Amino acid sequence: MSMQPKGSGEIPAETVRVARAAFPKGSLAIRVRDELGPLFRDEEFADLFPARGRPAWSPGGLALVSVLQFVEGLTDRQAAEAVRARIDFKYALGLALDDPGFDFSVLSEFRDRLAGADAGRRVLDGILVAAREKRLLKSAGRARTDSTHVLSAARHLCWLEMVAETLRSALNVLAQSAPGWLSEVAEAEWFRHYGTRAEDARFPAGRVKRDEAGERIGRDGTCLLSAVFSTDAPAWLRGLAEVETLRQVWVQHFHQVDGEVRRRGLKDCPPGALRLLTPYDTDARIGVKGDTMWDGYKVHFTETCEPDAPNLITNVATTVATVQDRSMAETIHQQLAARDCLPAEHWVDAGYPTAPALVSARHEHGIALHGPVQADNSAQTSAKSGFAQDAFTIDWDSRQATCPGGRTSTNWGERFSQRGQPVLRVVFSVSDCRPCPLREACINTPNVKRPRELRLRRRDEHAALQTARAEQQTDAWKERYKVRAGVEGTMSQAVQRCGLRRSRYGGLAKTSLQHQLTGAAINLARIDAHITQTPRARTRTRHFASLRPAELILDRAK
């Protein structure tokens, strides 16, 4: 289909008359159209469609329908039916009353085009541009960010199910693409073991029998891979996505021992960032955050938090579950800078701020990044006794440190921390440390041949950490930090209203698109709440919890 811009954007007079009569108090779709005007133009999506072909339904209209679909939690069929039958949808889209709309499958095709070009950001940006023109979005103010886990659309599989389904998936695609070739290669037992879904099979209950079943699946998969990669097989079979997934899973979970296929031990398996979890969502990874473990992704929402304006989501970033929050601060700032939404103050939780992030935010973007920074984790600090790093005097120009006993360091060199970040290793002399009367308070080891060492950040990062740690001990900072707590309500709204907790689609690209549409939908809902002066919801307290005695509340706060 080709994209051909349609209409002038004006709402037909008859549609206006009927909408006003049917909705005398308005509706979200009507109020948003009246306040923001047409949100999307067809030309913004021109690169997603070929220049020639059958004319497509308005891409700008499809973008708006996609957002309204997430606002109301509609399926594709329900959204397409709303365009045909609901007057407020026709009003928001500027359609005539007799417009037949489109088939529901068009929405899926449009999402494929958006996901393929990573164009979901355009939908969120379109609403932000309109909000800025109406002075509903304020830049250079305060913003806050938090992340939450998102479950993969594919259900969790145990190990036997995972390898069996991976093999069955490859057999199915080969049966469709090269039925004659597979008929010659497939063994008779394969039809009994892999003809139906693994969840319908009854795996053995005993440990030994389950191990034997796993090794049998490993042998069958190895046999199929050998046939696919043999010189007699068509070369194009190796390019099938399901075959490549089978190869990766078998490399990760099986190996040859004395000519026999055996399951790898847990220590021989690849790390979680590389390990595939299911053949039906090869981007999903296993994530761990505190006591929560999940298969899927992670999403980061950044929103404004000004008292006299709606809290609008200005950035949405989606990653696989293994990406840590501490690596996302700079990425989020770059994305905010690209859409001219950089705040002056950025409030985050303890997962985001690192020494490099604090420096980069200030120097590269002019942002004051606020969040609980990691405390000095030296043994002396942990034991709450002895001389921690702040007891030493650092002479950065001379590249020396002076200890509380007045001795200076003898070695100053660059190293990398366990997380791969550059640090400075400062070492004192053994001859100075051994007879020192302060040794027991300085070195936490009885080994007299081991001198005191310091691991320091670079000068600017060290200064930023020291400043942040000192500032965060003040009551004024703790009071200001309370603004970050409001982002938890955004996560709740996204989960309850837009179904954020589980991905609707497979793969990182489409999951990211879902989150961009979720952010856009929340913005529309909040703009509508601002128009109607709907007060923000208060934190809910269960009836029994509200009876908690005051002294227990104080004890919990301590």
Side-chain angles (χ1 to χ4, degrees):
M1 295 187 295
S2 65
M3 195 283 292
Q4 298 182 12
K6 302 176 182 178
S8 61
E10 296 292 333
I11 307 175
E14 185 65 11
T15 301
V16 174
R17 185 187 68 80
V18 174
R20 299 299 184 198
F23 296 91
K25 295 183 179 181
S27 70
L28 182 146
I30 292 174
R31 287 189 292 265
V32 167
R33 173 60 190 254
D34 289 340
E35 180 70 18
L36 303 180
L39 291 173
F40 309 104
R41 295 181 297 107
D42 291 345
E43 292 79 2
E44 297 172 0
F45 305 94
D47 59 312
L48 306 182
F49 294 83
R52 297 182 178 182
R54 180 169 55 87
W57 210 78
S58 166
L62 291 174
L64 180 56
V65 172
S66 298
V67 177
L68 292 174
Q69 176 184 8
F70 273 73
V71 170
E72 301 194 10
L74 305 177
T75 65
D76 287 355
R77 289 180 182 272
Q78 291 170 335
E81 182 64 23
V83 173
R84 281 192 296 271
R86 285 178 51 174
I87 299 172
D88 58 337
F89 268 54
K90 290 184 181 294
Y91 184 96
L93 294 165
L95 300 178
L97 295 178
D98 59 353
D99 192 295
F102 52 82
D103 186 78
F104 73 94
S105 62
V106 172
L107 284 172
S108 176
E109 296 172 2
F110 182 64
R111 286 195 301 270
D112 288 342
R113 295 179 186 273
L114 290 176
D118 191 21
R121 300 180 189 275
R122 303 181 196 178
V123 180
L124 179 62
D125 290 348
I127 295 177
L128 294 177
V129 169
R132 180 177 283 114
E133 292 176 352
K134 298 297 182 179
R135 301 183 182 276
L136 297 174
L137 175 63
K138 295 184 178 181
S139 300
R142 296 180 303 178
R144 54 197 178 196
T145 296
D146 199 9
S147 66
T148 191
H149 62 283
V150 177
L151 305 178
S152 169
R155 74 176 182 87
H156 175 79
L157 301 175
C158 70
W159 183 79
L160 276 177
E161 285 181 315
M162 192 269 290
V163 292
E165 277 298 296
T166 302
L167 177 53
R168 193 179 74 89
S169 175
L171 288 171
N172 278 331
V173 75
L174 288 171
Q176 181 181 11
S177 304
W181 177 85
L182 184 60
S183 297
E184 298 178 358
V185 171
E187 299 180 5
E189 286 294 303
W190 292 5
F191 295 95
R192 181 168 64 90
H193 292 305
Y194 314 114
T196 59
R197 295 181 63 88
E199 63 185 19
D200 297 330
R202 293 187 177 181
F203 291 112
R207 175 69 177 273
V208 175
K209 294 294 184 180
R210 291 177 70 87
D211 290 344
E212 292 176 354
E215 292 180 359
R216 184 255 304 162
I217 296 172
R219 290 192 299 271
D220 293 343
T222 301
C223 180
L224 178 61
L225 286 171
S226 299
V228 169
F229 283 87
S230 68
T231 55
D232 298 334
W236 58 268
L237 294 181
R238 304 160 200 168
L240 296 174
E242 289 79 2
V243 172
E244 175 58 20
T245 300
L246 175 67
R247 186 193 68 80
Q248 292 183 27
V249 169
W250 254 239
V251 169
Q252 293 177 0
H253 292 277
F254 297 100
H255 62 160
Q256 298 276 345
V257 178
D258 297 331
E260 296 292 331
V261 178
R262 294 287 185 267
R263 180 183 179 182
R264 291 185 184 273
L266 292 178
K267 294 184 179 180
D268 293 332
C269 290
L274 301 176
R275 191 164 62 249
L276 302 184
L277 303 177
T278 170
Y280 303 116
D281 190 349
T282 56
D283 291 332
R285 296 292 183 270
I286 187 168
V288 179
K289 188 174 183 179
D291 296 331
T292 303
M293 180 178 294
W294 74 99
D295 296 347
Y297 305 92
K298 186 187 292 185
V299 60
H300 305 256
F301 282 117
T302 301
E303 67 176 7
T304 60
C305 46
E306 299 298 330
D308 56 345
N311 296 337
L312 299 183
I313 294 175
T314 53
N315 192 72
V316 181
T318 305
T319 68
V320 296
T322 52
V323 176
Q324 299 297 315
D325 291 353
R326 63 175 177 265
S327 65
M328 289 300 296
E330 176 60 20
T331 299
I332 292 171
H333 291 159
Q334 291 177 356
Q335 294 175 352
L336 288 170
R339 52 171 49 104
D340 193 24
C341 289
L342 282 174
E345 297 179 356
H346 191 187
W347 298 86
V348 296
D349 66 11
Y352 291 91
T354 62
L358 293 173
V359 173
S360 175
R362 174 65 69 184
H363 293 171
E364 300 295 331
H365 306 289
I367 299 175
L369 181 62
H370 292 286
V373 298
Q374 184 179 11
D376 179 8
N377 57 3
S378 63
Q380 291 78 8
T381 302
S382 302
K384 297 182 180 181
S385 63
F387 300 118
Q389 286 188 5
D390 55 6
F392 291 74
T393 302
I394 310 299
D395 188 342
W396 297 96
D397 296 328
S398 300
R399 296 169 63 87
Q400 282 186 330
T402 304
C403 73
R407 301 294 184 176
T408 58
S409 60
T410 58
N411 185 276
W412 180 294
E414 296 184 357
R415 296 289 189 275
F416 286 94
S417 68
Q418 294 180 346
R419 294 178 177 177
Q421 297 178 345
V423 296
L424 299 174
R425 179 173 178 261
V426 182
V427 185
F428 288 81
S429 171
V430 175
S431 59
D432 289 335
C433 292
R434 184 184 302 168
C436 181
L438 303 177
R439 175 183 175 82
E440 292 185 1
C442 189
I443 302 177
N444 65 324
T445 175
N447 186 356
V448 296
K449 294 183 179 181
R450 185 171 181 178
R452 178 62 190 266
E453 293 186 10
L454 300 178
R455 294 296 175 97
L456 305 176
R457 297 288 183 182
R458 294 180 301 185
R459 185 172 187 173
D460 53 351
E461 296 177 358
H462 180 81
L465 276 178
Q466 295 297 98
T467 301
R469 286 169 180 163
E471 183 183 17
Q472 290 169 16
Q473 299 304 314
T474 64
D475 293 336
W477 187 90
K478 294 176 182 179
E479 183 65 26
R480 295 173 62 203
Y481 185 67
K482 292 180 180 179
V483 70
R484 195 214 67 87
V487 75
E488 302 291 348
T490 297
M491 297 300 179
S492 177
Q493 184 179 17
V495 169
Q496 296 184 28
R497 183 164 194 163
C498 302
L500 177 72
R501 183 61 66 216
R502 180 177 290 278
S503 177
R504 296 187 180 191
Y505 320 109
L508 179 60
K510 285 191 174 182
T511 300
S512 178
L513 172 61
Q514 173 186 341
H515 297 160
Q516 298 290 339
L517 294 175
T518 297
I522 292 176
N523 282 348
L524 280 193
R526 290 182 172 181
I527 290 173
D528 180 64
H530 180 76
I531 295 171
T532 58
Q533 298 182 349
T534 303
R536 295 172 184 172
R538 295 181 178 271
T539 301
R540 291 175 294 179
T541 303
R542 298 296 182 185
H543 298 296
F544 179 69
S546 65
L547 300 178
R548 183 184 292 114
E551 56 270 19
L552 294 181
I553 298 177
L554 292 176
D555 291 342
R556 184 176 181 182
K558 294 178 181 179

